[in-house]
């Protein structure tokens, strides 16, 4: 991996409805990785977007009495409002109705056609409007005559002239690529599924539709539009200059990782690499397929997939307004394994918020600053000569930092957060219990100063470790003291967390309300 650049993408989203918590789970997971890579010194390009060239867009716009373009532009605005509220740090947001995407798609499909991998045929099969894809007889049979992803929506039987991509011709090349690049598909369980699919069920795929007004015209047959997957996957290259800016494309591509949901793994790990092989474009380095967020049914106790038809969809803004964006990020990164499936309920969310944030981080923030203000008017003075490792006796901090860094780089966020909270946060709580600075201050102010200087450095280290996960809280922790005078916040890396800062003076710089630190995470009750 080239450490000077890191290109990360998420799946682009259908704009037929606003994003829900499952969609946000993916974006936060990718954002944590992007923020972490920036801390490691990489030049990160983080892409997100909306998948707009779909028949569903036309149908939904018609329902609302809008033209498709006006509809998708407004939905793009709504999506980006949510991502902004969640502090997602994407560098670009592509709409597939944009000119840059249309130009790149037409160039790409022409290249595949010129390579001899596209032929005309007639397609007849089961079509799911929800997935915007055809379903095999096997998929339909195993789902009891339904779409496996949309069991409450009727499948359509579609017969039409269109063009096919010779995906089946790439079986051996794909299998050889997987063997040569064993880390291409992550987690490992997804890799096994894809390899099995390619070995046994790789078939040519329809890549155009006829008679649709909305979409990208096929350059070698203007009566056809490019079919949704062949169009949508291309956003990863059209957004960084394919077909419009060759120099930029050469600098940015290939992607270091595509972050996607496990339900679209086969498109990203079989169809997409074969498309790129055909067009002579380098392949991405990795695809990470995360799991789903399920909603706990409060009456039955069963975990259910998020579904509008079940009425169990939760919008991110509902939780952000009730708790905070930081609480949202904390819950989904600490309670839902990114490589597996997670579960949401309002009760569990409130419990995690109160125990992990209100009673732990928030409480420590207030206690430490309050004691510094009460006993030293916020100025702890010079720290040269003070052992700032006293708070972490029994904790091998450099080893912990290395392990957390490795876990974050592997998308193992729940394990990383668990170590930070159970070992780093708990060390501060234990240290306060052992030293009892609120009692010590009555008899030995210098010893109290040493204790509080340790706790101040604990805040600095904690800020760095939680920076990818809780960017606002992390910055608040770091800005609570004058740490930025020696190391600007934007420049800190995980390596800085392993080193004590025994220079200069420690001085409270946190914003105060009536002379007291403002509470970070007021306790709440589940609704």
């Amino acid at each position: 991996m080239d450490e000077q650049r890191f290109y990360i993408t998420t799946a682009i989203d259908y704009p037929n409805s606003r994003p829900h918590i499952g969609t946000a789970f993916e974006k936060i997971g990718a954002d944590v990785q992007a923020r972490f890579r920036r801390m490691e010194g990489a030049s990160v390009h983080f892409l997100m977007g909306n998948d707009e060239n779909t028949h569903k867009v036309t149908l939904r716009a018609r329902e609302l009495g809008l033209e498709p373009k006006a509809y998708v532009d407004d939905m793009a605005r709504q999506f980006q409002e949510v991502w902004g509220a969640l502090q997602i740090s994407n560098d670009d947001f592509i709409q597939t109705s944009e000119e840059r995407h249309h130009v790149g798609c037409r160039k790409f499909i022409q290249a595949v056609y010129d390579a001899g991998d596209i032929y005309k045929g007639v397609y007849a099969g089961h079509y799911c409007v929800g997935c915007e894809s055809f379903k095999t007889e096997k998929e339909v049979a195993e789902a009891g005559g339904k779409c496996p992803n949309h069991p409450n929506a009727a499948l359509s039987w579609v017969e039409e002239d269109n063009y096919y991509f010779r995906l089946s011709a790439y079986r051996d090349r794909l299998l050889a690529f997987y063997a040569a690049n064993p880390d291409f598909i992550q987690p490992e369980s997804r890799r096994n599924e894809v390899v099995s699919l390619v070995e046994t069920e790789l078939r040519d795929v329809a890549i155009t539709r006829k008679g649709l007004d909305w979409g990208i015209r096929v350059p070698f047959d203007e009566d056809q539009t490019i079919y949704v997957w062949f169009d949508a996957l291309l956003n990863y290259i059209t957004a960084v200059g394919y077909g419009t800016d060759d120099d930029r494309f050469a600098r940015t591509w290939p992607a270091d990782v595509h972050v996607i949901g496990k339900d679209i793994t086969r498109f990203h790990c079989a169809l997409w690499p074969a498309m790129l092989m055909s067009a002579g474009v380098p392949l991405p380095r990795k695809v990470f397929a995360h799991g789903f967020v399920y909603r706990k049914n409060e009456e039955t106790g069963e975990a259910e997939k998020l579904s509008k038809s079940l009425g169990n969809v939760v919008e991110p803004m509902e939780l952000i307004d009730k708790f905070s964006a930081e609480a949202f990020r904390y819950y989904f990164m600490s309670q839902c394994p990114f490589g597996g499936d997670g579960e949401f309920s309002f009760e569990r969310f409130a419990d995690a918020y109160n125990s992990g944030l209100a009673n732990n981080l928030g409480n420590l923030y207030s206690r430490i600053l309050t004691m510094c203000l009460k006993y030293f008017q916020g100025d702890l003075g010079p720290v040269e000569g003070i052992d700032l490792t006293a708070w972490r006796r029994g904790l091998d901090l450099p080893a912990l930092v290395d392990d957390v860094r490795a876990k974050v780089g592997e998308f193992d966020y729940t394990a990383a957060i668990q170590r930070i909270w159970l070992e780093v946060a708990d060390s501060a709580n234990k240290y306060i219990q052992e030293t009892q600075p609120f009692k010590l201050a009555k008899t030995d102010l210098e010893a109290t100063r040493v204790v509080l200087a340790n706790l101040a450095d604990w805040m600095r280290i904690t800020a760095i470790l939680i920076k990818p996960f809780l960017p606002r809280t992390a910055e608040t922790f770091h800005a609570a003291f004058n740490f930025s005078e020696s190391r600007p916040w934007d420049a800190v890396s995980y390596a800085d967390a392993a080193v004590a800062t025994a220079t200069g003076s420690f001085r409270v710089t946190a914003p105060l309300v009536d002379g007291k630190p403002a509470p970070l995470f007021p306790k709440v009750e589940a609704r």
Side-chain angles (χ1 to χ4, degrees):
M1 182 181 68
D2 181 357
E3 289 296 341
Q4 298 308 305
R5 53 162 291 278
F6 190 84
Y7 179 26
I8 180 171
T9 73
T10 66
I12 54 175
D13 300 306
Y14 289 137
N16 55 314
S17 60
R18 286 171 56 85
H20 57 61
I21 57 175
T23 319
F25 177 58
E26 172 177 293
K27 311 313 178 196
I28 296 171
D31 181 65
V32 169
Q33 194 65 212
R35 289 177 179 273
F36 167 69
R37 298 290 175 167
R38 292 188 191 105
M39 288 178 71
E40 295 288 288
S43 175
V44 171
H45 187 70
F46 176 16
L47 173 70
M48 291 166 45
N50 277 2
D51 182 6
E52 298 173 343
N53 298 320
T54 70
H55 189 45
K56 283 189 292 187
V57 160
T58 307
L59 298 176
R60 182 63 179 145
R62 190 179 297 153
E63 286 176 14
L64 298 173
L66 296 172
E67 289 298 316
K69 181 59 176 167
Y71 170 73
V72 297
D73 286 350
D74 185 62
M75 290 304 295
R77 177 191 60 78
Q78 293 185 45
F79 270 72
Q80 290 180 84
E81 281 181 354
V82 175
W83 305 146
L86 284 171
Q87 304 153 60
I88 307 299
S89 63
N90 57 299
D91 301 287
D92 191 6
F93 186 93
I94 188 168
Q95 296 178 241
T96 58
S97 60
E98 291 180 54
E99 180 69 12
R100 58 173 167 164
H101 183 67
H102 282 227
V103 171
C105 282
R106 285 168 65 88
K107 176 183 175 179
F108 187 92
I109 198 170
Q110 186 67 55
V112 176
Y113 183 77
D114 293 345
D117 285 329
I118 293 176
Y119 63 91
K120 197 166 188 179
V122 177
Y123 191 88
H126 300 283
Y127 184 77
C128 173
V129 174
C131 291
E132 294 267 357
S133 68
F134 290 96
K135 301 297 167 184
T136 65
E137 292 292 345
K138 180 180 178 183
E139 288 175 314
V140 173
E142 289 178 350
K146 305 281 189 179
C147 168
N149 297 322
H150 298 90
N152 295 319
L155 289 166
S156 303
W157 183 261
V158 174
E159 294 186 32
E160 63 183 32
D161 293 334
N162 51 24
Y163 287 89
Y164 281 78
F165 172 59
R166 296 185 198 277
L167 180 58
S168 62
Y170 284 85
R171 179 180 287 105
D172 292 344
R173 285 184 66 181
L174 286 170
L175 293 173
F177 176 74
Y178 304 148
N181 300 274
D183 294 331
F184 173 66
I185 307 169
Q186 293 292 326
E188 182 70 18
S189 59
R190 315 275 189 249
R191 181 179 186 275
N192 299 336
E193 294 168 9
V194 172
V195 171
S196 176
L197 171 82
V198 171
E199 286 176 337
T200 61
E201 294 182 51
L202 201 66
R203 296 182 177 88
D204 294 351
V205 294
I207 61 169
T208 68
R209 298 291 305 275
K210 188 175 182 179
L212 299 180
D213 293 329
W214 176 252
I216 304 171
R217 297 289 175 188
V218 174
F220 47 84
D221 188 340
E222 295 286 343
D223 289 336
Q224 301 264 346
T225 54
I226 302 176
Y227 176 50
V228 62
W229 280 104
F230 209 84
D231 155 13
L233 289 162
L234 292 171
N235 90 91
Y236 303 131
I237 60 174
T238 61
V240 292
Y242 181 86
T244 55
D245 188 337
D246 293 343
D247 289 343
R248 183 179 182 223
F249 182 63
R251 287 195 310 271
T252 312
W253 188 259
D256 290 88
V257 61
H258 293 315
V259 178
I260 59 158
K262 64 180 181 179
D263 56 330
I264 53 176
T265 311
R266 64 191 178 106
F267 295 108
H268 283 78
C269 299
L271 175 58
W272 179 224
M275 288 165 55
L276 293 168
M277 289 174 181
S278 176
V281 177
L283 273 60
R285 296 185 170 122
K286 183 179 292 186
V287 175
F288 190 94
H290 64 79
F292 290 149
V293 173
Y294 291 89
R295 172 84 184 271
K296 184 177 181 180
N297 186 310
E298 312 287 350
E299 295 180 3
T300 66
E302 295 291 316
E304 299 172 339
K305 191 174 177 181
L306 295 170
S307 165
K308 283 190 292 184
S309 59
L310 291 176
N312 65 358
V313 170
V314 180
E315 285 202 13
M317 296 308 294
E318 182 178 352
L319 292 172
I320 293 169
D321 291 342
K322 182 174 175 60
F323 298 91
S324 67
E326 297 285 274
F328 191 109
R329 293 175 67 103
Y330 173 73
Y331 179 84
F332 285 101
M333 293 299 97
S334 68
Q335 306 298 310
C336 302
F338 199 61
D341 294 329
E343 186 178 298
F344 169 84
S345 71
F346 281 97
E347 181 180 7
R348 187 175 171 189
F349 192 104
D351 286 346
Y353 169 90
N354 285 329
S355 62
L357 297 179
N359 297 337
N360 201 328
L361 281 197
N363 186 47
L364 282 164
Y365 174 86
S366 296
R367 290 180 74 189
I368 294 166
L369 292 180
T370 297
M371 288 189 286
C372 289
L373 292 163
K374 181 176 181 180
Y375 304 132
F376 298 96
Q377 292 74 52
D379 190 348
L380 297 178
V383 296
E384 280 93 351
I386 295 179
D387 176 12
L388 294 178
T389 67
W391 69 267
R392 52 178 156 112
R393 286 194 184 124
L395 174 64
D396 186 344
L397 186 64
L400 180 142
V401 171
D402 285 344
D403 184 56
V404 168
R405 175 193 272 137
K407 282 182 166 57
V408 175
E410 295 166 359
F411 293 86
D412 192 358
Y413 299 146
T414 49
I417 289 177
Q418 185 174 47
R419 288 212 69 181
I420 295 168
W421 258 254
L422 291 182
E423 298 178 58
V424 180
D426 279 6
S427 288
N429 283 312
K430 289 175 187 173
Y431 183 62
I432 291 173
Q433 289 172 2
E434 290 168 5
T435 58
Q436 296 191 310
F438 40 87
K439 291 183 179 178
L440 189 63
K442 297 175 182 177
T443 59
D444 192 338
L445 273 178
E446 178 57 24
T448 306
R449 189 176 78 89
V450 169
V451 170
L452 293 179
N454 266 269
L455 291 169
D457 205 54
W458 168 86
M459 286 183 70
R460 179 189 67 85
I461 289 166
T462 301
I464 296 169
L465 291 175
I466 67 173
K467 186 177 181 180
F469 300 102
L470 306 179
R472 192 168 292 163
T473 304
E475 187 168 9
T476 299
F477 263 51
H478 198 264
F481 290 87
N482 57 322
F483 301 131
S484 288
E485 291 177 2
S486 56
R487 186 69 162 150
W489 177 236
D490 289 345
V492 301
S493 69
Y494 267 27
D496 295 313
V499 182
T501 305
T503 58
S505 298
F506 283 0
R507 184 177 73 256
V508 172
T509 51
L512 305 176
V513 179
D514 296 329
K516 300 177 181 178
L520 291 188
F521 300 105
K523 287 188 70 171
V524 299
E525 294 182 8
R527 71 175 190 181

